[in-house]
Amino acid sequence: MNVLYISHERNLGGASRSLLGIIDELKENINAFVLTNAKSGDFLDELKKRKVNIIYSKYYWWMSYKANNIIKIFIKYRIHYFINYISALRLSFIVKKLNIDIIHSNTSVIDIGALVSKFSGIPHIWHIREFGKEDHNIYFNFNSNKCFNFMNKQSSKVIAISKAIYNKYENYIDRDKLCIVYNGIPKSCL
């Protein structure tokens, strides 16, 4: 099975460490590809050590910190959305060529995986690891209800890493799609 994981950071934050754990545990059962918008960083170094297939593309977060200048922010996010849209169209051809079976977005701060899924028809899993404003003070760049609707529509499954995150999203995501998967313990620790 070919799985495309979508990353959002260049360094080894919690989400990236968890993704490495997933890749390590499933390496005998899957052929992992990781899409990144970074060309360097500790996370990419770890992927290279593991000989994971890395795909680079320009894309931006669909969440950000609140800012004061609404007009500049509005223009900036429209440009970012356009870049994401074009990148997703291009990537949809690449994932078909690579015979990707599943697209897995490793965080809720990016929407590129869902866009690629939309254009390619490949099932998408969205891994929600953060609340947003409550833990990182970040917000959707567009109407949050429309973003939640898009998450629901463009996902085969949505994984919450805790009951609290599940509770936040249960009003927006179909219950048959939403599940809890706590971060696991690697076999090496058992």
Side-chain angles (χ1 to χ4, degrees):
M1 177 181 288
N2 294 327
V3 179
L4 175 65
Y5 294 101
I6 314 291
S7 173
H8 71 296
E9 61 187 351
R10 70 177 59 238
N11 296 315
L12 286 172
S16 293
R17 289 179 189 276
S18 292
L19 178 54
L20 290 170
I22 291 169
I23 291 169
D24 289 345
E25 292 303 313
L26 297 176
K27 67 183 169 194
E28 294 174 17
N29 301 311
I30 65 163
N31 186 21
F33 295 81
V34 175
L35 176 65
T36 178
N37 60 358
K39 292 186 177 178
S40 64
D42 294 338
F43 177 60
L44 276 78
D45 293 342
E46 288 297 321
L47 292 172
K48 289 173 187 172
K49 283 182 197 173
R50 290 165 170 78
K51 297 183 174 133
V52 172
N53 303 296
I54 300 171
I55 301 169
Y56 170 79
S57 184
K58 187 84 167 164
Y59 58 90
Y60 294 94
W61 290 18
W62 74 331
M63 295 179 86
S64 60
Y65 302 98
K66 284 284 184 192
N68 294 332
N69 189 327
I70 299 297
I71 294 170
K72 279 185 182 178
I73 296 304
F74 179 80
I75 293 168
K76 176 182 170 183
Y77 296 147
R78 294 291 177 199
I79 292 168
H80 287 180
Y81 181 78
F82 177 75
I83 291 169
N84 283 3
Y85 193 88
I86 297 302
S87 292
L89 280 172
R90 185 181 61 77
L91 288 163
S92 68
F93 293 105
I94 293 170
V95 297
K96 286 181 180 178
K97 197 177 200 180
L98 294 171
N99 295 314
I100 298 297
D101 297 298
I102 296 172
I103 299 170
H104 178 191
S105 292
N106 194 47
T107 177
S108 62
V109 303
I110 51 174
D111 67 342
I112 190 78
L115 288 170
V116 173
S117 171
K118 179 179 179 176
F119 298 138
S120 67
I122 296 169
H124 178 251
I125 297 170
W126 215 315
H127 213 130
I128 302 176
R129 300 179 178 280
E130 53 282 307
F131 292 97
K133 68 178 179 179
E134 296 90 346
D135 54 356
H136 296 291
N137 199 32
I138 55 176
Y139 301 81
F140 288 110
N141 295 337
F142 304 101
N143 177 284
S144 59
N145 285 332
K146 287 183 180 180
C147 292
F148 289 134
N149 186 46
F150 180 73
M151 290 176 81
N152 186 47
K153 186 177 178 183
Q154 288 308 134
S155 301
S156 299
K157 284 288 182 187
V158 177
I159 301 169
I161 64 162
S162 70
K163 181 67 173 159
I165 289 177
Y166 179 96
N167 290 342
K168 176 178 178 170
Y169 285 87
E170 70 181 333
N171 295 324
Y172 306 105
I173 307 296
D174 294 342
R175 293 198 183 200
D176 61 324
K177 290 183 180 183
L178 187 60
C179 64
I180 300 171
V181 178
Y182 299 104
N183 277 347
I185 300 170
K187 290 178 190 173
S188 60
C189 292
L190 299 176

